Amino acid sequence: MTGSWRDLPVLILVGPTAIGKTDLSLQIARRFPCEIISVDSMQVYRYLDIGTAKASSAERDEVVHHLIDIVDPDEAYDAARFAVDARKVLEAIAGRGKIALLTGGSGLYLRALLEPFFPGVPVDDDLRNRLKKPLFEEGNSKLHKELSLCDRVSAERIHPNDSHRLLRALEIYSASGIPWSEHLRRQRSSSDQRFLKNTLMLGLTCERQVLYQRIDQRCRLMLDNGLEAEVSSLLGMGYGSDLKPMQAIGYRHMLEYIAGRWGWDDMVRLLARDTRRYAKRQYTWFSAMTDIQWFEKDDPDNVLRLIAGWLR
C-alpha cells in the first residue's frame, strides 16, 4: 500500500517485560494526541488478561488501544497477520489526525511490521498431524532434537517446551526444504526500504538486577490477581493446554501446577526464572535494532522532551 500516511510520524516504545512500558505509553498518550497499538503476541487473545498484563479497562477507556482482544485462544495468529492488521490500524489512526504509538515487547512482531516479511508456508493439516505424532508419543524433546538436525539456529532460539513453534519450524522445513532461520535471514537482508518512513524508536532499560526484582514482583502480582482462576476458566471454556497461547509464559506454568506435575513453590520459581530468560531474549532482539534510543525507566521527562522536539 502506498500513500502519504506512511510518511507521518509514528512513535515506537519497546523494552523487556516488566520494565514499565504501559505506564510510560499512557504518559506519552496523555501528553500527545496518540492512539496506542499493542505489539504483543499474547495480548491479541481474548480471555488472557492477567498473565499478559494487559492495560486495564480504565486505561483503555482513557486512551484508545488497538490489537488487544481481537482473536480467540484457538484461532491462528502470527507475526505476518499482525503486520497486516497493524498497517490497517496505522492508516486509520493517520486518517483521524492522531499519532500512532506502537508499544510492546514482541520483537518479531515489530520487525514484521517495519521490514519486508517472510509470508510463511501455508499450514498443511496432514503434515502437521504427522509431525504431532512423535510429539504425543515421545514429547517435545523428540521434536527439538529433530529440529536441531535440520535447523540448528531455530532450535537454539526456540524453547524445548514451545511445541507450537517447534511444530511450525519443522513444518516450514518439511514443506519448503528451507530452514525457518534461513527464511528469516533472507528477509532481514532484503534491500527493500522500511515500510514506515518516519519513526522515533525509544527503548526502556534499567540495571539487570533491578529488572529481575520487577519481574519477581510482576509474577507475584499475577498470582495474587488470580492467574490460577484465569487458567482454570480457560480450561473450563474448552481451550486445551496444547494451544499456542496456553503455552505462553505464565499459562504453561500454571497448567503444570493445576495438573499436579509441579508444586506451588516450584511453579513460582520456574515462572520467575523463565520470565527472566524471556527478558534476556527480548534484549537480544532489540539490540539488533540500532536506531533505538535507550532511556532509563525512571527518566520519563527526557523521553517526553525528546518526543516533543522530534514532533516539532
Side-chain angles (χ1 to χ4, degrees):
M1 180 179 294
T2 60
S4 60
W5 67 269
R6 290 177 55 189
D7 299 314
L8 295 176
V10 173
L11 298 169
I12 300 172
L13 176 64
V14 300
T17 186
I19 195 68
K21 297 184 295 296
T22 298
D23 288 344
L24 182 55
S25 67
L26 291 168
Q27 290 185 56
I28 294 170
R30 292 177 184 127
R31 174 79 176 272
F32 307 101
C34 294
E35 295 183 19
I36 294 173
I37 301 176
S38 169
V39 187
D40 189 292
S41 62
M42 291 296 115
Q43 290 189 2
V44 298
Y45 293 104
R46 301 183 185 98
Y47 318 124
L48 280 75
D49 301 323
I50 297 170
T52 62
K54 290 174 183 171
S56 68
S57 297
E59 289 166 338
R60 283 187 263 173
D61 287 341
E62 179 187 5
V63 177
V64 177
H65 284 66
H66 300 275
L67 302 190
I68 294 176
D69 293 342
I70 59 172
V71 292
D72 288 335
D74 56 357
E75 187 173 346
Y77 199 89
D78 57 17
R81 182 171 169 186
F82 170 82
V84 173
D85 290 344
R87 290 174 183 184
K88 292 177 181 176
V89 173
L90 282 163
E91 184 174 13
I93 291 173
R96 289 189 286 272
K98 298 295 186 68
I99 299 169
L101 169 56
L102 294 149
T103 184
S106 296
L108 177 62
Y109 277 36
L110 180 59
R111 179 171 284 169
L113 171 63
L114 297 179
E115 300 176 2
F117 189 68
F118 163 54
V121 175
V123 174
D124 183 325
D125 289 336
D126 290 338
L127 173 59
R128 176 158 291 190
N129 288 334
R130 289 199 301 273
L131 292 171
K132 280 184 176 180
K133 186 176 180 181
L135 171 65
F136 294 136
E137 293 177 350
E138 302 179 59
N140 285 355
S141 60
K142 174 66 173 179
L143 290 183
H144 199 263
K145 288 178 182 177
E146 288 187 15
L147 183 60
S148 298
L149 296 175
C150 63
D151 188 354
R152 180 181 57 80
V153 174
S154 291
E156 288 176 353
R157 71 177 177 84
I158 297 175
H159 193 280
N161 290 335
D162 192 343
S163 57
H164 176 82
R165 287 185 174 86
L166 288 173
L167 284 168
R168 185 59 179 147
L170 288 167
E171 186 177 46
I172 288 171
Y173 179 76
S174 299
S176 69
I178 300 173
W180 192 3
S181 58
E182 176 61 17
H183 284 294
L184 296 174
R185 187 196 66 77
R186 293 177 184 180
Q187 166 201 323
R188 288 192 291 270
S189 65
S190 170
S191 60
D192 291 352
Q193 292 185 341
R194 176 170 282 187
F195 182 78
L196 297 174
K197 312 297 185 183
N198 189 13
T199 59
L200 177 62
M201 299 186 66
L202 308 164
L204 280 187
T205 189
C206 66
E207 291 183 4
R208 198 59 61 95
Q209 196 57 42
V210 173
L211 177 62
Y212 290 166
Q213 291 172 358
R214 291 176 65 89
I215 286 173
D216 290 346
Q217 183 181 14
R218 164 75 65 81
C219 292
R220 289 194 297 270
L221 187 62
M222 286 165 46
L223 296 171
D224 290 344
N225 286 346
L227 180 62
E228 181 180 358
E230 181 169 279
V231 174
S232 295
S233 175
L234 286 161
L235 292 171
M237 295 168 69
Y239 296 115
S241 60
D242 59 332
L243 294 174
K244 175 183 174 182
M246 297 290 270
Q247 289 298 310
I249 290 177
Y251 292 92
R252 60 181 169 84
H253 295 78
M254 186 55 70
L255 284 168
E256 294 292 328
Y257 169 73
I258 290 173
R261 290 186 287 269
W262 292 353
W264 181 266
D265 290 343
D266 284 338
M267 182 271 293
V268 173
R269 176 179 59 83
L270 293 170
L271 170 58
R273 182 202 68 181
D274 291 343
T275 306
R276 291 192 294 268
R277 289 178 176 177
Y278 176 57
K280 289 181 181 179
R281 294 196 297 273
Q282 288 176 302
Y283 270 124
T284 299
W285 264 104
F286 294 130
S287 65
M289 298 180 176
T290 56
D291 46 356
I292 296 176
Q293 299 186 54
W294 290 95
F295 291 84
E296 289 293 317
K297 70 172 184 64
D298 295 324
D299 194 17
D301 290 343
N302 276 332
V303 173
L304 295 173
R305 276 194 290 270
L306 176 64
I307 293 172
W310 181 71
L311 290 174
R312 281 197 299 268

mmCIF file of all heavy atoms in Angstrom, residues 212-249:
data_model
loop_
_atom_site.group_PDB
_atom_site.id
_atom_site.type_symbol
_atom_site.label_atom_id
_atom_site.label_comp_id
_atom_site.label_asym_id
_atom_site.label_seq_id
_atom_site.Cartn_x
_atom_site.Cartn_y
_atom_site.Cartn_z
ATOM 1 N N TYR A 212 15.152 -7.732 37.316
ATOM 2 C CA TYR A 212 14.777 -9.038 37.851
ATOM 3 C C TYR A 212 13.889 -8.889 39.085
ATOM 4 O O TYR A 212 12.974 -9.706 39.306
ATOM 5 C CB TYR A 212 16.030 -9.843 38.192
ATOM 6 C CG TYR A 212 16.807 -10.288 36.969
ATOM 7 C CD1 TYR A 212 18.114 -10.774 37.078
ATOM 8 C CD2 TYR A 212 16.247 -10.214 35.686
ATOM 9 C CE1 TYR A 212 18.825 -11.184 35.965
ATOM 10 C CE2 TYR A 212 16.958 -10.611 34.570
ATOM 11 C CZ TYR A 212 18.249 -11.095 34.712
ATOM 12 O OH TYR A 212 18.950 -11.485 33.605
ATOM 13 N N GLN A 213 14.136 -7.871 39.886
ATOM 14 C CA GLN A 213 13.265 -7.621 41.036
ATOM 15 C C GLN A 213 11.860 -7.231 40.574
ATOM 16 O O GLN A 213 10.862 -7.655 41.162
ATOM 17 C CB GLN A 213 13.868 -6.516 41.902
ATOM 18 C CG GLN A 213 15.141 -6.929 42.623
ATOM 19 C CD GLN A 213 15.832 -5.759 43.321
ATOM 20 O OE1 GLN A 213 15.382 -4.610 43.236
ATOM 21 N NE2 GLN A 213 16.931 -6.043 44.011
ATOM 22 N N ARG A 214 11.800 -6.432 39.505
ATOM 23 C CA ARG A 214 10.496 -6.042 38.955
ATOM 24 C C ARG A 214 9.771 -7.254 38.375
ATOM 25 O O ARG A 214 8.547 -7.378 38.487
ATOM 26 C CB ARG A 214 10.678 -4.963 37.887
ATOM 27 C CG ARG A 214 11.137 -3.629 38.446
ATOM 28 C CD ARG A 214 11.388 -2.623 37.328
ATOM 29 N NE ARG A 214 10.174 -2.282 36.609
ATOM 30 C CZ ARG A 214 9.345 -1.302 36.947
ATOM 31 N NH1 ARG A 214 9.589 -0.568 38.030
ATOM 32 N NH2 ARG A 214 8.259 -1.041 36.228
ATOM 33 N N ILE A 215 10.519 -8.163 37.752
ATOM 34 C CA ILE A 215 9.918 -9.381 37.209
ATOM 35 C C ILE A 215 9.357 -10.240 38.337
ATOM 36 O O ILE A 215 8.233 -10.764 38.239
ATOM 37 C CB ILE A 215 10.961 -10.158 36.381
ATOM 38 C CG1 ILE A 215 11.198 -9.446 35.044
ATOM 39 C CG2 ILE A 215 10.505 -11.605 36.148
ATOM 40 C CD1 ILE A 215 12.324 -10.028 34.218
ATOM 41 N N ASP A 216 10.125 -10.389 39.419
ATOM 42 C CA ASP A 216 9.624 -11.163 40.567
ATOM 43 C C ASP A 216 8.338 -10.541 41.102
ATOM 44 O O ASP A 216 7.378 -11.251 41.436
ATOM 45 C CB ASP A 216 10.685 -11.211 41.669
ATOM 46 C CG ASP A 216 11.883 -12.083 41.292
ATOM 47 O OD1 ASP A 216 11.763 -12.851 40.315
ATOM 48 O OD2 ASP A 216 12.932 -11.973 41.957
ATOM 49 N N GLN A 217 8.318 -9.212 41.180
ATOM 50 C CA GLN A 217 7.123 -8.523 41.658
ATOM 51 C C GLN A 217 5.953 -8.725 40.711
ATOM 52 O O GLN A 217 4.812 -8.945 41.146
ATOM 53 C CB GLN A 217 7.423 -7.034 41.823
ATOM 54 C CG GLN A 217 6.277 -6.219 42.386
ATOM 55 C CD GLN A 217 6.635 -4.748 42.513
ATOM 56 O OE1 GLN A 217 7.616 -4.273 41.960
ATOM 57 N NE2 GLN A 217 5.827 -4.014 43.266
ATOM 58 N N ARG A 218 6.215 -8.646 39.395
ATOM 59 C CA ARG A 218 5.167 -8.869 38.398
ATOM 60 C C ARG A 218 4.587 -10.271 38.545
ATOM 61 O O ARG A 218 3.367 -10.466 38.477
ATOM 62 C CB ARG A 218 5.750 -8.658 36.988
ATOM 63 C CG ARG A 218 4.917 -9.202 35.839
ATOM 64 C CD ARG A 218 3.707 -8.370 35.514
ATOM 65 N NE ARG A 218 4.058 -7.054 35.025
ATOM 66 C CZ ARG A 218 4.418 -6.786 33.764
ATOM 67 N NH1 ARG A 218 4.461 -7.761 32.871
ATOM 68 N NH2 ARG A 218 4.702 -5.554 33.402
ATOM 69 N N CYS A 219 5.449 -11.252 38.717
ATOM 70 C CA CYS A 219 4.975 -12.637 38.848
ATOM 71 C C CYS A 219 4.092 -12.793 40.086
ATOM 72 O O CYS A 219 3.042 -13.445 40.026
ATOM 73 C CB CYS A 219 6.164 -13.594 38.904
ATOM 74 S SG CYS A 219 7.090 -13.725 37.356
ATOM 75 N N ARG A 220 4.513 -12.215 41.195
ATOM 76 C CA ARG A 220 3.694 -12.313 42.412
ATOM 77 C C ARG A 220 2.346 -11.630 42.212
ATOM 78 O O ARG A 220 1.306 -12.135 42.664
ATOM 79 C CB ARG A 220 4.440 -11.680 43.594
ATOM 80 C CG ARG A 220 5.635 -12.487 44.092
ATOM 81 C CD ARG A 220 6.101 -11.978 45.439
ATOM 82 N NE ARG A 220 6.570 -10.596 45.363
ATOM 83 C CZ ARG A 220 7.828 -10.253 45.104
ATOM 84 N NH1 ARG A 220 8.741 -11.199 44.895
ATOM 85 N NH2 ARG A 220 8.191 -8.982 45.069
ATOM 86 N N LEU A 221 2.358 -10.493 41.532
ATOM 87 C CA LEU A 221 1.117 -9.761 41.301
ATOM 88 C C LEU A 221 0.158 -10.568 40.430
ATOM 89 O O LEU A 221 -1.059 -10.606 40.683
ATOM 90 C CB LEU A 221 1.432 -8.416 40.652
ATOM 91 C CG LEU A 221 0.262 -7.439 40.495
ATOM 92 C CD1 LEU A 221 -0.299 -7.057 41.863
ATOM 93 C CD2 LEU A 221 0.714 -6.192 39.745
ATOM 94 N N MET A 222 0.692 -11.221 39.398
ATOM 95 C CA MET A 222 -0.147 -12.054 38.540
ATOM 96 C C MET A 222 -0.818 -13.156 39.355
ATOM 97 O O MET A 222 -2.014 -13.433 39.179
ATOM 98 C CB MET A 222 0.702 -12.673 37.419
ATOM 99 C CG MET A 222 1.113 -11.702 36.326
ATOM 100 S SD MET A 222 2.443 -12.358 35.271
ATOM 101 C CE MET A 222 1.882 -14.008 34.932
ATOM 102 N N LEU A 223 -0.064 -13.776 40.236
ATOM 103 C CA LEU A 223 -0.610 -14.860 41.043
ATOM 104 C C LEU A 223 -1.633 -14.325 42.039
ATOM 105 O O LEU A 223 -2.697 -14.924 42.241
ATOM 106 C CB LEU A 223 0.522 -15.590 41.760
ATOM 107 C CG LEU A 223 1.530 -16.296 40.833
ATOM 108 C CD1 LEU A 223 2.726 -16.807 41.625
ATOM 109 C CD2 LEU A 223 0.875 -17.426 40.060
ATOM 110 N N ASP A 224 -1.319 -13.187 42.653
ATOM 111 C CA ASP A 224 -2.255 -12.590 43.616
ATOM 112 C C ASP A 224 -3.555 -12.142 42.941
ATOM 113 O O ASP A 224 -4.627 -12.165 43.558
ATOM 114 C CB ASP A 224 -1.601 -11.389 44.312
ATOM 115 C CG ASP A 224 -0.492 -11.799 45.262
ATOM 116 O OD1 ASP A 224 -0.415 -12.992 45.612
ATOM 117 O OD2 ASP A 224 0.316 -10.917 45.632
ATOM 118 N N ASN A 225 -3.458 -11.735 41.680
ATOM 119 C CA ASN A 225 -4.633 -11.216 40.967
ATOM 120 C C ASN A 225 -5.509 -12.307 40.356
ATOM 121 O O ASN A 225 -6.541 -12.002 39.760
ATOM 122 C CB ASN A 225 -4.196 -10.243 39.873
ATOM 123 C CG ASN A 225 -3.748 -8.905 40.427
ATOM 124 O OD1 ASN A 225 -3.998 -8.598 41.587
ATOM 125 N ND2 ASN A 225 -3.077 -8.110 39.615
ATOM 126 N N GLY A 226 -5.074 -13.567 40.481
ATOM 127 C CA GLY A 226 -5.959 -14.654 40.061
ATOM 128 C C GLY A 226 -5.574 -15.383 38.798
ATOM 129 O O GLY A 226 -6.450 -15.837 38.043
ATOM 130 N N LEU A 227 -4.266 -15.554 38.546
ATOM 131 C CA LEU A 227 -3.849 -16.275 37.339
ATOM 132 C C LEU A 227 -4.380 -17.716 37.345
ATOM 133 O O LEU A 227 -4.791 -18.227 36.298
ATOM 134 C CB LEU A 227 -2.324 -16.274 37.216
ATOM 135 C CG LEU A 227 -1.760 -16.995 35.991
ATOM 136 C CD1 LEU A 227 -2.235 -16.341 34.693
ATOM 137 C CD2 LEU A 227 -0.224 -17.030 36.027
ATOM 138 N N GLU A 228 -4.374 -18.343 38.514
ATOM 139 C CA GLU A 228 -4.869 -19.722 38.585
ATOM 140 C C GLU A 228 -6.327 -19.797 38.157
ATOM 141 O O GLU A 228 -6.718 -20.673 37.367
ATOM 142 C CB GLU A 228 -4.704 -20.269 39.996
ATOM 143 C CG GLU A 228 -5.184 -21.716 40.120
ATOM 144 C CD GLU A 228 -5.031 -22.274 41.521
ATOM 145 O OE1 GLU A 228 -4.518 -21.547 42.409
ATOM 146 O OE2 GLU A 228 -5.435 -23.436 41.740
ATOM 147 N N ALA A 229 -7.155 -18.871 38.635
ATOM 148 C CA ALA A 229 -8.568 -18.865 38.257
ATOM 149 C C ALA A 229 -8.736 -18.579 36.775
ATOM 150 O O ALA A 229 -9.620 -19.154 36.121
ATOM 151 C CB ALA A 229 -9.324 -17.829 39.090
ATOM 152 N N GLU A 230 -7.887 -17.712 36.225
ATOM 153 C CA GLU A 230 -7.981 -17.394 34.801
ATOM 154 C C GLU A 230 -7.678 -18.622 33.948
ATOM 155 O O GLU A 230 -8.397 -18.916 32.979
ATOM 156 C CB GLU A 230 -7.028 -16.258 34.451
ATOM 157 C CG GLU A 230 -7.077 -15.843 32.987
ATOM 158 C CD GLU A 230 -6.318 -14.542 32.733
ATOM 159 O OE1 GLU A 230 -6.896 -13.480 32.987
ATOM 160 O OE2 GLU A 230 -5.155 -14.610 32.295
ATOM 161 N N VAL A 231 -6.629 -19.349 34.313
ATOM 162 C CA VAL A 231 -6.262 -20.546 33.540
ATOM 163 C C VAL A 231 -7.334 -21.621 33.700
ATOM 164 O O VAL A 231 -7.708 -22.296 32.731
ATOM 165 C CB VAL A 231 -4.876 -21.060 33.976
ATOM 166 C CG1 VAL A 231 -4.555 -22.386 33.287
ATOM 167 C CG2 VAL A 231 -3.796 -20.025 33.666
ATOM 168 N N SER A 232 -7.852 -21.792 34.904
ATOM 169 C CA SER A 232 -8.915 -22.773 35.118
ATOM 170 C C SER A 232 -10.152 -22.416 34.301
ATOM 171 O O SER A 232 -10.822 -23.298 33.754
ATOM 172 C CB SER A 232 -9.275 -22.844 36.608
ATOM 173 O OG SER A 232 -8.186 -23.323 37.372
ATOM 174 N N SER A 233 -10.453 -21.131 34.213
ATOM 175 C CA SER A 233 -11.594 -20.688 33.415
ATOM 176 C C SER A 233 -11.393 -21.002 31.938
ATOM 177 O O SER A 233 -12.320 -21.462 31.252
ATOM 178 C CB SER A 233 -11.806 -19.184 33.609
ATOM 179 O OG SER A 233 -12.839 -18.701 32.765
ATOM 180 N N LEU A 234 -10.177 -20.788 31.441
ATOM 181 C CA LEU A 234 -9.877 -21.095 30.039
ATOM 182 C C LEU A 234 -10.060 -22.589 29.769
ATOM 183 O O LEU A 234 -10.628 -22.986 28.740
ATOM 184 C CB LEU A 234 -8.449 -20.661 29.697
ATOM 185 C CG LEU A 234 -8.243 -19.152 29.547
ATOM 186 C CD1 LEU A 234 -6.764 -18.794 29.671
ATOM 187 C CD2 LEU A 234 -8.773 -18.681 28.194
ATOM 188 N N LEU A 235 -9.581 -23.417 30.682
ATOM 189 C CA LEU A 235 -9.765 -24.862 30.532
ATOM 190 C C LEU A 235 -11.252 -25.209 30.554
ATOM 191 O O LEU A 235 -11.716 -26.036 29.762
ATOM 192 C CB LEU A 235 -9.021 -25.604 31.642
ATOM 193 C CG LEU A 235 -7.493 -25.546 31.604
ATOM 194 C CD1 LEU A 235 -6.912 -26.140 32.881
ATOM 195 C CD2 LEU A 235 -6.946 -26.270 30.380
ATOM 196 N N GLY A 236 -11.992 -24.551 31.432
ATOM 197 C CA GLY A 236 -13.424 -24.798 31.516
ATOM 198 C C GLY A 236 -14.179 -24.378 30.272
ATOM 199 O O GLY A 236 -15.246 -24.932 29.966
ATOM 200 N N MET A 237 -13.637 -23.408 29.542
ATOM 201 C CA MET A 237 -14.247 -22.963 28.291
ATOM 202 C C MET A 237 -13.901 -23.894 27.133
ATOM 203 O O MET A 237 -14.387 -23.698 26.019
ATOM 204 C CB MET A 237 -13.792 -21.534 27.976
ATOM 205 C CG MET A 237 -14.264 -20.498 28.987
ATOM 206 S SD MET A 237 -13.434 -18.888 28.791
ATOM 207 C CE MET A 237 -14.132 -18.334 27.232
ATOM 208 N N GLY A 238 -13.046 -24.886 27.395
ATOM 209 C CA GLY A 238 -12.705 -25.852 26.364
ATOM 210 C C GLY A 238 -11.418 -25.571 25.629
ATOM 211 O O GLY A 238 -11.105 -26.251 24.641
ATOM 212 N N TYR A 239 -10.632 -24.603 26.092
ATOM 213 C CA TYR A 239 -9.366 -24.300 25.438
ATOM 214 C C TYR A 239 -8.287 -25.216 25.998
ATOM 215 O O TYR A 239 -7.949 -25.148 27.182
ATOM 216 C CB TYR A 239 -9.002 -22.830 25.625
ATOM 217 C CG TYR A 239 -9.989 -21.892 24.951
ATOM 218 C CD1 TYR A 239 -10.772 -21.019 25.693
ATOM 219 C CD2 TYR A 239 -10.149 -21.917 23.563
ATOM 220 C CE1 TYR A 239 -11.688 -20.179 25.072
ATOM 221 C CE2 TYR A 239 -11.066 -21.088 22.942
ATOM 222 C CZ TYR A 239 -11.828 -20.219 23.686
ATOM 223 O OH TYR A 239 -12.739 -19.401 23.068
ATOM 224 N N GLY A 240 -7.747 -26.080 25.131
ATOM 225 C CA GLY A 240 -6.797 -27.095 25.556
ATOM 226 C C GLY A 240 -5.417 -26.559 25.860
ATOM 227 O O GLY A 240 -5.022 -25.486 25.387
ATOM 228 N N SER A 241 -4.673 -27.317 26.636
ATOM 229 C CA SER A 241 -3.343 -26.897 27.064
ATOM 230 C C SER A 241 -2.334 -26.882 25.923
ATOM 231 O O SER A 241 -1.249 -26.316 26.066
ATOM 232 C CB SER A 241 -2.836 -27.825 28.175
ATOM 233 O OG SER A 241 -2.773 -29.162 27.707
ATOM 234 N N ASP A 242 -2.667 -27.496 24.771
ATOM 235 C CA ASP A 242 -1.728 -27.543 23.659
ATOM 236 C C ASP A 242 -1.827 -26.312 22.752
ATOM 237 O O ASP A 242 -1.017 -26.156 21.832
ATOM 238 C CB ASP A 242 -1.965 -28.796 22.817
ATOM 239 C CG ASP A 242 -3.376 -28.868 22.243
ATOM 240 O OD1 ASP A 242 -4.300 -28.307 22.879
ATOM 241 O OD2 ASP A 242 -3.551 -29.468 21.170
ATOM 242 N N LEU A 243 -2.779 -25.427 23.009
ATOM 243 C CA LEU A 243 -2.920 -24.238 22.171
ATOM 244 C C LEU A 243 -1.749 -23.295 22.388
ATOM 245 O O LEU A 243 -1.167 -23.224 23.478
ATOM 246 C CB LEU A 243 -4.222 -23.511 22.493
ATOM 247 C CG LEU A 243 -5.518 -24.247 22.151
ATOM 248 C CD1 LEU A 243 -6.715 -23.459 22.660
ATOM 249 C CD2 LEU A 243 -5.625 -24.469 20.644
ATOM 250 N N LYS A 244 -1.410 -22.535 21.352
ATOM 251 C CA LYS A 244 -0.267 -21.625 21.410
ATOM 252 C C LYS A 244 -0.318 -20.678 22.610
ATOM 253 O O LYS A 244 0.664 -20.593 23.364
ATOM 254 C CB LYS A 244 -0.175 -20.840 20.108
ATOM 255 C CG LYS A 244 0.904 -19.754 20.085
ATOM 256 C CD LYS A 244 0.859 -18.982 18.791
ATOM 257 C CE LYS A 244 1.829 -17.796 18.809
ATOM 258 N NZ LYS A 244 1.764 -17.010 17.558
ATOM 259 N N PRO A 245 -1.410 -19.949 22.838
ATOM 260 C CA PRO A 245 -1.402 -19.030 23.978
ATOM 261 C C PRO A 245 -1.330 -19.724 25.328
ATOM 262 O O PRO A 245 -0.825 -19.157 26.297
ATOM 263 C CB PRO A 245 -2.720 -18.262 23.824
ATOM 264 C CG PRO A 245 -3.578 -19.118 22.976
ATOM 265 C CD PRO A 245 -2.650 -19.822 22.039
ATOM 266 N N MET A 246 -1.798 -20.970 25.394
ATOM 267 C CA MET A 246 -1.744 -21.699 26.657
ATOM 268 C C MET A 246 -0.332 -22.189 26.969
ATOM 269 O O MET A 246 -0.053 -22.656 28.076
ATOM 270 C CB MET A 246 -2.719 -22.876 26.633
ATOM 271 C CG MET A 246 -4.175 -22.464 26.494
ATOM 272 S SD MET A 246 -4.811 -21.655 27.971
ATOM 273 C CE MET A 246 -5.430 -23.088 28.861
ATOM 274 N N GLN A 247 0.562 -22.088 25.983
ATOM 275 C CA GLN A 247 1.957 -22.447 26.190
ATOM 276 C C GLN A 247 2.823 -21.232 26.486
ATOM 277 O O GLN A 247 4.037 -21.341 26.602
ATOM 278 C CB GLN A 247 2.495 -23.194 24.967
ATOM 279 C CG GLN A 247 1.937 -24.599 24.802
ATOM 280 C CD GLN A 247 2.297 -25.492 25.967
ATOM 281 O OE1 GLN A 247 3.451 -25.574 26.354
ATOM 282 N NE2 GLN A 247 1.305 -26.159 26.548
ATOM 283 N N ALA A 248 2.200 -20.055 26.587
ATOM 284 C CA ALA A 248 2.951 -18.836 26.884
ATOM 285 C C ALA A 248 3.425 -18.853 28.331
ATOM 286 O O ALA A 248 2.905 -19.590 29.178
ATOM 287 C CB ALA A 248 2.078 -17.613 26.627
ATOM 288 N N ILE A 249 4.418 -18.019 28.607
ATOM 289 C CA ILE A 249 4.936 -17.914 29.974
ATOM 290 C C ILE A 249 3.800 -17.534 30.915
ATOM 291 O O ILE A 249 3.002 -16.651 30.637
ATOM 292 C CB ILE A 249 6.066 -16.875 30.033
ATOM 293 C CG1 ILE A 249 7.301 -17.407 29.307
ATOM 294 C CG2 ILE A 249 6.435 -16.542 31.480
ATOM 295 C CD1 ILE A 249 8.444 -16.424 29.238
#
